[in-house]
Amino acid sequence: LNRGLVTGPETKAFRAWLQLEVRRCEQKGELRPELQMVLMEAWMVCPVSSLALSFWLNEFEFAAGLATRLATAPRTDEIEAQLKDFVELLESPVFSELRLQMLGALQHRSALLRAMLQLGALLPKEKCIQGRLQVLETGVLLDRVTAKAKGTGPFRECCKQAQDLLERFDEVCERDHRWKDCIL
């Protein structure tokens, strides 16, 4: 279901609407759409799916937090397989906007870089992730030159709802390790 929602042709209109709502909220400086947080919360039973959703929704701070937690969690063959599937998904057309953001968008760079670095730490042998990190590194260097010239450098902070959700995820992981059995 999770992969179907992110990639299925049947849900294309819903994905477009959801991303439009996310962009509208970002442009107005409003909180994220309520449905976005409902989806994030519902998918927390499968952290790899939540990771995919958080990248897709540009919740890079949340993605970085999840990736950090996954790095410290016990690694099963199933989680490894899900992470590799996720890497393939990152290279799919559904994530083309994310890949474009790696080339620019200073406002998202810090959190996107942290999230990608954590993903790279989870899967150090994945060549496509290492390649994406090189793209980010180049972009960061270019942004530094540009930022020095303009005197800018603001980054978006993680919203309170996402921070609360990450804390609840930690609590659930401590109590119940069944989330490791979920499938992406």
Side-chain angles (χ1 to χ4, degrees):
L1 176 61
N2 297 339
R3 191 172 184 134
L5 179 61
V6 175
T7 62
E10 303 85 3
T11 58
K12 186 175 183 178
F14 173 71
R15 289 191 311 266
W17 173 82
L18 185 59
Q19 283 198 323
L20 184 66
E21 282 297 300
V22 168
R23 280 192 210 101
R24 184 188 64 73
C25 289
E26 285 178 350
Q27 288 172 350
K28 291 184 176 184
E30 298 175 353
L31 294 175
R32 275 76 171 171
E34 186 176 332
L35 179 58
Q36 176 183 341
M37 293 312 295
V38 168
L39 285 172
M40 297 292 277
E41 186 171 351
W43 285 14
M44 285 306 289
V45 296
C46 186
V48 178
S49 295
S50 295
L51 186 63
L53 182 64
S54 59
F55 270 103
W56 184 75
L57 290 172
N58 296 335
E59 287 295 332
F60 304 125
E61 301 88 354
F62 190 74
L66 272 177
T68 300
R69 284 157 175 82
L70 278 170
T72 60
R75 300 285 288 270
T76 64
D77 289 340
E78 188 171 349
I79 292 292
E80 288 287 333
Q82 290 176 24
L83 286 168
K84 288 182 182 185
D85 286 346
F86 170 61
V87 169
E88 288 179 25
L89 192 60
L90 275 178
E91 296 298 316
S92 73
V94 173
F95 284 92
S96 59
E97 185 177 321
L98 172 72
R99 293 189 305 275
L100 286 173
Q101 287 184 39
M102 289 181 193
L103 300 174
L106 178 62
Q107 64 184 356
H108 295 293
R109 182 67 46 112
S110 178
L112 178 55
L113 180 58
R114 281 193 311 274
M116 289 302 294
L117 285 170
Q118 288 298 335
L119 192 58
L122 281 171
L123 298 164
K125 295 180 182 176
E126 289 292 330
K127 291 180 182 178
C128 64
I129 294 296
Q130 300 307 319
R132 295 293 174 197
L133 286 173
Q134 289 176 346
V135 169
L136 276 170
E137 180 182 4
T138 303
V140 167
L141 293 173
L142 289 172
D143 282 346
R144 282 187 180 174
V145 170
T146 306
K148 284 182 182 178
K150 295 180 182 178
T152 60
F155 296 100
R156 190 174 74 157
E157 293 296 321
C158 189
C159 75
K160 175 80 171 113
Q161 283 179 304
Q163 202 61 32
D164 291 345
L165 194 53
L166 285 171
E167 289 172 10
R168 286 188 21 223
F169 175 74
D170 290 338
E171 292 170 9
V172 170
C173 285
E174 287 181 23
R175 286 192 312 250
D176 185 1
H177 294 283
R178 285 182 291 168
W179 63 266
K180 293 179 235 165
D181 299 329
C182 71
I183 298 173
L184 178 67

